[in-house]
């Protein structure tokens, strides 16, 4: 499956962005989907994930209450709504597809290209 992320940009602290990741190829609804990010000089880290049907979600602690992951299987798209952004959220954000939400943090089948999010103070 091919993943195309978009929606990144420059925003002031406290602002919001909505990332999108469109999938093409294999059946989108057969994959759990996730978002990861990589800040300069740091390793890529897990941000959020959503189950195949969209009923299950998980988040890293630092974004709970601020970020919301969702998906529209009819549009083959997963979203990441990011609110109350801080400079610590600055990173390249990647979408990912995996067989199961329970293992997506350690086993990703497909990666999308990244989209840059920059939060100014």
């Amino acid at each position: 499956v091919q993943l195309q992320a978009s929606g990144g940009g420059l925003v002031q602290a406290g602002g919001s962005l909505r990332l999108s990741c469109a999938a093409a190829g294999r059946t989108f609804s057969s994959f759990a989907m996730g978002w990861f990010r990589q800040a300069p000089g740091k390793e890529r880290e897990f941000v959020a994930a959503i189950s195949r049907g969209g009923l299950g979600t998980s988040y890293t602690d630092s974004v709970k209450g601020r970020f919301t992951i969702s998906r529209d299987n009819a549009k083959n798209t997963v979203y990441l709504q990011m609110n109350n952004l801080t400079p610590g959220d600055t990173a390249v954000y990647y979408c990912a597809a995996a067989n199961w939400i329970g293992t997506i943090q350690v086993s990703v089948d497909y990666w999308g290209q990244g989209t840059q999010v920059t939060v100014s103070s």
Side-chain angles (χ1 to χ4, degrees):
V1 64
Q2 293 80 43
L3 303 175
Q4 181 74 37
S6 62
L10 174 64
V11 64
Q12 289 188 332
S16 298
L17 282 174
R18 188 195 197 200
L19 305 183
S20 299
C21 177
R26 295 181 61 185
T27 305
F28 177 72
S29 60
S30 67
F31 291 98
M33 298 298 297
W35 289 94
F36 293 72
R37 66 187 181 186
Q38 187 167 18
K42 296 186 177 181
E43 294 187 352
R44 189 177 300 186
E45 66 171 353
F46 168 77
V47 176
I50 189 165
S51 62
R52 298 167 184 168
L55 295 181
T57 58
S58 66
Y59 299 90
T60 192
D61 286 345
S62 64
V63 308
K64 286 180 180 177
R66 300 188 299 122
F67 290 12
T68 302
I69 189 171
S70 61
R71 67 189 297 163
D72 185 338
N73 285 347
K75 295 183 177 179
N76 289 355
T77 303
V78 61
Y79 306 97
L80 185 67
Q81 178 67 44
M82 306 185 294
N83 297 329
N84 195 20
L85 285 160
T86 72
D89 296 314
T90 295
V92 177
Y93 284 71
Y94 299 88
C95 59
N99 182 56
W100 184 43
I101 188 174
T103 57
I104 194 170
Q105 294 188 47
V106 296
S107 179
V108 170
D109 295 308
Y110 300 97
W111 289 100
Q113 96 294 354
T115 184
Q116 177 71 47
V117 172
T118 303
V119 184
S120 63
S121 57

